Amino acid sequence: MTTSPASVLGVPQPAWAGEDVAMLYDMATKFLEAEIAPRYEEFEKAEIFDRESWKKAGENGLLCASIPEEYGGSGGTYAHESAIIEAISHVGVDGFGIALHNSIVAPYILHYGSEEQKKKWLPRMATGELIGAIAMTEPGAGSDLQGVKTRAEKDGNHYRINGSKTFITNGQLANLIVVVTKTDPARGAKGTSLIVVETDEVDGFRRGRNLDKVGLKSNDTSELFFDDVRVPTSNLLGTEEGQGFVQLMQQLPQERLQIGGTAIAAIEKALAITIDYVKERRAFGKAVIDFQNTQFKLAELKTEATVGRVFYNDCVARHVAGGLDPSTASMAKYWLSDLQGKVMDECVQLHGGYGFMNEYPIARMWRDARVQRIYGGTNEIMKLLIARGL
């Protein structure tokens, strides 16, 4: 009998994972297993998904689940986004970039956009016509968002944007990009603004290469270049310039919680496939599960994973209720992604030589896990943020 990633830990379902959330998880799982998993190797080799997959995800209600129905979404909460995030990792198609589109990019427009902006962009994001990205990182500014150099200067009723970004998730496919810019460099963080660029409508926008990554190969991650890109001043998010840094700080906790959700779901998947493997694999005349070392290792991993799942569930409950503070979100991101790395490494070891073979899912999961400790703010930055509250 195959071990289910969703049940491998045996943690009771939290209150936020009610019937509608459970139904969405099941629906997402079936869609991903039927439409994405059979083609996932193709996307891994191409190092990019196709737009058709995004449109199918939209048709099946997997885009903008937490966006109100009046703007084309499903009217859910982050609990519904978590169901989709977990289904992606449980099915093993982690490179599908819809989670960033759903729970990172769309909320910026929902929370800070004007009524006109929300009606213009969100329904098209819900169908997959528009694919979202957020352009923060620059060649000289990673976790330090105050170091952003991309400049947006007013030119009549337009902004002229100049600068470059790198490591941008969905970068090759995205045609709606929230760009972190400096509208007043002299004011430091208070001179930061978020401006939306619809790439199909502007000149001067260029995509660089699809970056050759160690893991998450199927997700397009790119360099972006803005050379006198003109967009209407009405594309500014917020009522005035200079609100960008505060907007980022308000939304980053959800991004970090999402990374934690990806981590715990991947941990569950890794444990499930490893338990199945050690029960089947034989060495020295008995199943690998019968060795005490195997039992102790898996007991340790399951214990830590259970602690991680309970913590993540509590963080989601607090977030849905509006009470997840940045420090706790940073804890979730750092601790769960660190645990993910540990679990993947131990699970590869328990697979022996086969764990290093690409034909075994654990090999890809091991590679894919590494970036979790880097993006969304490095884990070192997470510790700094936690320490500020001591």
Side-chain angles (χ1 to χ4, degrees):
M1 181 176 176
T2 302
T3 306
S4 164
S7 62
V8 67
L9 299 181
V11 176
Q13 286 288 78
W16 56 261
E19 185 178 351
D20 56 335
V21 173
M23 286 176 61
L24 178 59
Y25 172 84
D26 290 340
M27 185 178 73
T29 299
K30 288 174 183 174
F31 168 77
L32 295 167
E33 287 176 340
E35 298 288 346
I36 304 301
R39 298 186 61 199
Y40 195 62
E41 197 59 41
E42 169 193 334
F43 298 139
E44 283 276 292
K45 289 178 180 175
E47 301 189 358
I48 192 170
F49 269 72
D50 58 9
R51 288 188 174 275
E52 188 61 28
S53 295
W54 280 82
K55 289 180 180 176
K56 285 182 179 178
E59 290 166 5
N60 282 271
L62 301 191
L63 300 183
C64 298
S66 59
I67 297 299
E69 293 180 10
E70 62 188 294
Y71 303 123
S74 301
T77 68
Y78 178 79
H80 298 84
E81 301 293 2
S82 184
I84 296 169
I85 291 164
E86 293 179 45
I88 289 170
S89 287
H90 285 167
V91 174
V93 290
D94 297 86
F96 198 9
I98 62 174
L100 176 132
H101 171 96
N102 287 347
S103 57
I104 297 178
V105 182
Y108 279 101
I109 296 168
L110 177 66
H111 292 302
Y112 309 118
S114 65
E115 192 66 18
E116 181 183 355
Q117 288 172 333
K118 287 185 274 196
K119 288 179 177 176
K120 178 181 180 182
W121 292 320
L122 289 174
R124 292 155 69 202
M125 291 185 75
T127 62
E129 177 190 345
L130 290 177
I131 296 175
I134 182 161
M136 296 189 201
T137 305
E138 297 183 0
S143 296
D144 177 16
L145 293 175
Q146 296 190 52
V148 163
K149 301 294 185 189
T150 297
R151 181 77 193 276
E153 296 179 277
K154 266 189 177 172
D155 182 9
N157 61 352
H158 282 72
Y159 286 109
R160 284 189 296 109
I161 303 175
N162 285 280
S164 63
K165 302 289 183 176
T166 193
F167 307 144
I168 306 306
T169 302
N170 298 339
Q172 291 289 313
L173 288 174
N175 50 358
L176 183 140
I177 302 173
V178 177
V179 185
V180 181
T181 70
K182 284 291 180 66
T183 43
D184 187 351
R187 298 189 68 207
K190 293 181 179 179
T192 304
S193 300
L194 305 185
I195 298 174
V196 177
V197 175
E198 273 196 76
T199 66
D200 298 334
E201 298 183 350
V202 297
D203 295 320
F205 170 75
R206 293 184 294 115
R207 304 179 200 270
R209 58 201 172 99
N210 191 4
L211 298 169
D212 183 13
K213 306 187 299 297
V214 171
L216 289 177
K217 302 291 280 187
S218 58
N219 182 264
D220 50 308
T221 306
S222 307
E223 301 167 318
L224 305 178
F225 300 96
F226 302 85
D227 301 315
D228 269 342
V229 172
R230 283 171 55 85
V231 298
T233 52
S234 59
N235 282 23
L236 175 74
L237 287 182
T239 55
E240 59 185 12
E241 293 178 359
Q243 298 178 329
F245 196 77
V246 172
Q247 293 166 343
L248 289 166
M249 293 305 103
Q250 289 173 340
Q251 293 305 307
L252 281 171
Q254 179 159 302
E255 177 178 355
R256 286 157 185 167
L257 183 60
Q258 176 193 305
I259 294 169
T262 298
I264 192 59
I267 286 167
E268 290 166 338
K269 169 81 169 179
L271 285 175
I273 62 176
T274 302
I275 289 168
D276 287 342
Y277 179 82
V278 297
K279 285 179 177 178
E280 301 253 340
R281 178 71 173 169
R282 299 185 67 81
F284 301 101
K286 58 183 180 179
V288 174
I289 188 68
D290 292 330
F291 289 96
Q292 189 182 68
N293 179 69
T294 304
Q295 295 170 4
F296 280 12
K297 284 290 185 185
L298 287 171
E300 177 186 337
L301 297 180
K302 182 171 181 178
T303 300
E304 291 182 300
T306 299
V307 172
R309 167 52 78 178
V310 172
F311 178 43
Y312 175 73
N313 287 351
D314 180 65
C315 285
V316 175
R318 292 166 67 177
H319 187 49
V320 171
L324 182 66
D325 60 280
S327 178
T328 305
S330 297
M331 292 179 197
K333 191 272 184 189
Y334 128 65
W335 195 80
L336 288 166
S337 63
D338 262 12
L339 180 61
Q340 181 185 4
K342 175 184 176 179
V343 170
M344 297 306 155
D345 198 62
E346 295 284 13
C347 288
V348 166
Q349 192 72 16
L350 288 169
H351 276 73
Y354 291 103
F356 208 62
M357 299 297 109
N358 284 323
E359 63 193 272
Y360 281 77
I362 195 63
R364 179 156 62 211
M365 295 175 70
W366 178 59
R367 294 196 310 271
D368 289 351
R370 188 59 187 88
V371 73
Q372 289 265 101
R373 287 174 270 171
I374 298 172
Y375 59 20
T378 65
N379 282 5
E380 290 74 20
I381 295 295
M382 296 303 101
K383 293 174 187 177
L384 183 64
L385 295 173
I386 296 162
R388 285 177 180 168
L390 297 178

